[in-house]
């Protein structure tokens, strides 16, 4: 008799919890950072002269019952700005065959201030993306030809 009461009490949770979980949309969980360690880890020794870096780490999670839940380990995405020394920027610009993208409009990068970058010309180079950032999926990487790289990449 007790088992029957327990089953009657638990059964609605077992039935409705998966239905509730499927109807919830994932939310972005964003962490802001200024450490250069991430960029050094992603690019290895291929990107030198990093003066500063400001980026956001984005993870998807479901918010249920006031807590964040994930269906397992999730691969984060990263978006932000890398500032190089002018000398390294010049070396980088001369080392690769950068192509001007005059259709690119500077995207909003979350909480990161990009107002000082307005009006820059932006260049891209697939060879640079493959050589310097081989361990991530590149959504975009643009270089202003001087000292600033903006990026949006995802882990595998």
């Amino acid at each position: 008799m007790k088992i029957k009461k327990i089953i009657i009490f638990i059964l609605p949770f077992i039935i409705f919890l998966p239905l509730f979980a499927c109807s919830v949309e994932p939310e972005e969980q964003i962490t802001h950072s200024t450490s250069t360690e991430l960029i050094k880890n992603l690019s290895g020794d291929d990107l030198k002269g990093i003066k500063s870096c400001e980026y956001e780490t984005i993870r998807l999670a479901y918010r249920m019952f006031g807590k964040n839940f994930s269906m397992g380990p999730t691969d984060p995405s990263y978006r932000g700005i890398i500032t190089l020394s002018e000398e390294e920027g010049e070396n980088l610009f001369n080392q690769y065959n950068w192509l001007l993208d005059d259709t690119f409009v500077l995207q909003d990068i979350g909480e990161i201030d990009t107002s000082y970058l307005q009006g820059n010309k932006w260049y891209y180079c697939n060879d640079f993306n493959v050589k310097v950032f081989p361990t991530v999926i590149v959504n975009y990487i643009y270089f202003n030809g001087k000292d600033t790289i903006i990026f949006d990449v995802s882990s595998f």
Side-chain angles (χ1 to χ4, degrees):
M1 192 67 142
K2 277 188 167 185
I3 294 177
K4 200 175 198 181
K5 288 181 181 180
I6 293 172
I7 291 174
I8 290 173
F9 180 74
I10 293 177
L11 190 60
F13 289 106
I14 294 172
I15 293 172
F16 291 111
L17 186 60
L19 295 174
F20 176 73
C22 292
S23 66
V24 176
E25 291 293 320
E27 293 180 10
E28 288 185 343
Q29 305 298 314
I30 299 173
T31 307
H32 185 266
S33 181
T34 57
S35 170
T36 59
E37 284 304 308
L38 170 75
I39 301 306
K40 289 177 183 175
N41 289 339
L42 294 179
S43 67
D45 292 331
D46 293 323
L47 193 59
K48 298 180 182 359
I50 300 172
K51 287 175 47 177
S52 66
C53 181
E54 185 175 14
Y55 66 93
E56 294 179 337
T57 303
I58 302 106
R59 288 186 166 79
L60 291 180
Y62 295 90
R63 188 139 183 97
M64 294 184 295
F65 308 115
K67 298 195 184 269
N68 294 330
F69 290 94
S70 175
M71 294 305 287
T74 59
D75 295 327
S77 296
Y78 306 97
R79 63 184 176 210
I81 300 170
I82 303 167
T83 304
L84 305 172
S85 67
E86 288 183 26
E87 180 182 324
E88 184 57 29
E90 185 177 333
N91 290 340
L92 195 63
F93 194 69
N94 293 330
Q95 186 177 359
Y96 292 94
N97 184 28
W98 294 93
L99 302 172
L100 177 65
D101 185 351
D102 54 2
T103 63
F104 178 72
V105 176
L106 186 60
Q107 306 287 319
D108 177 35
I109 307 179
E111 298 295 318
I112 299 172
D113 179 28
T114 58
S115 61
Y116 68 98
L117 297 173
Q118 299 298 329
N120 280 320
K121 292 182 180 182
W122 293 102
Y123 301 86
Y124 69 95
C125 178
N126 292 329
D127 291 339
F128 171 79
N129 297 353
V130 170
K131 183 174 186 315
V132 178
F133 294 98
T135 62
V136 292
I137 299 167
V138 174
N139 299 320
Y140 68 79
I141 294 177
Y142 283 95
F143 178 47
N144 71 351
K146 300 172 195 161
D147 62 355
T148 303
I149 296 172
I150 56 172
F151 65 93
D152 186 336
V153 297
S154 303
S155 299
F156 286 107

